[in-house]
Amino acid sequence: MANSNDPRVNFGLSCPDGGNFHICQDSPTRFIGCCDIDPCTVEAKGNCPSSHLFNASFSSASAVVFKPQACEAPFGNNSWYTCADARPPFLGCCKNNPCNNGCKANNLIPARLSDDPEHASQFLLPVTSSSSSSSPSPTSTTFRVNDFLFWKDLSSKNLF
């Protein structure tokens, strides 16, 4: 089961139109959002091609105020939106303001974690630690909200 400090659980992050919600905090491009491939792999380097990108949503009941994240160049953080009143709520980057009429697939822009550590921190996944291991624990995970399937590479560590 996902950690209770997992932002995907705490904020009800989801992918209403398809794909899985990813947070690639350890990738060169720190993608955040819905993608139907795993952008967090070593090969993908945190990139979700626009043909695999989907709208991301969140639970408006979480009442969280999201700090702005970044969007793929050249958009910066000027195209980052959180629209609690949209149906479904919208979270991510869009070429147009999605708060009234949503964001069409051809207007979606890949989002990434902010370079501002304070802003990025609310989306960072919890890090699992083990005193018997000298290598860092993996923090890129796949989380299929719609199917309630959770997967996390815990290597072959004995956690109990």
Side-chain angles (χ1 to χ4, degrees):
M1 180 167 255
N3 187 304
S4 64
N5 293 324
D6 190 317
R8 296 166 297 192
V9 174
N10 292 341
F11 306 142
L13 302 176
S14 64
C15 303
D17 300 327
N20 299 312
F21 199 93
H22 298 273
I23 301 172
C24 304
Q25 67 192 44
D26 294 326
S27 298
T29 300
R30 299 182 335 148
F31 176 81
I32 178 173
C34 297
C35 190
D36 68 358
I37 63 166
D38 185 353
C40 303
T41 64
V42 172
E43 297 80 18
K45 299 179 183 171
N47 293 303
C48 179
S50 49
S51 60
H52 296 276
L53 193 59
F54 290 89
N55 282 300
S57 187
F58 63 97
S59 170
S60 55
S62 69
V64 66
V65 175
F66 290 104
K67 295 175 181 164
Q69 302 303 306
C71 303
E72 184 177 81
F75 299 98
N77 65 358
N78 294 329
S79 298
W80 170 265
Y81 294 92
T82 54
C83 309
D85 294 329
R87 294 294 169 249
F90 179 85
L91 170 81
C93 297
C94 188
K95 293 177 187 173
N96 62 284
N97 182 335
C99 293
N100 292 322
N101 298 315
C103 187
K104 305 257 186 263
N106 60 339
N107 286 333
L108 277 173
I109 303 166
R112 63 180 179 80
L113 291 170
S114 174
D115 292 330
D116 179 329
E118 182 185 337
H119 287 206
S121 68
Q122 80 183 134
F123 287 102
L124 295 180
L125 297 167
V127 177
T128 355
S129 61
S130 171
S131 58
S132 63
S133 173
S134 60
S135 62
S137 299
T139 53
S140 297
T141 64
T142 300
F143 183 80
R144 294 191 59 180
V145 175
N146 297 336
D147 295 336
F148 300 104
L149 297 177
F150 307 95
W151 174 84
K152 184 161 185 163
D153 178 11
L154 298 174
S155 301
S156 56
K157 296 178 186 174
N158 183 1
L159 299 176
F160 301 99

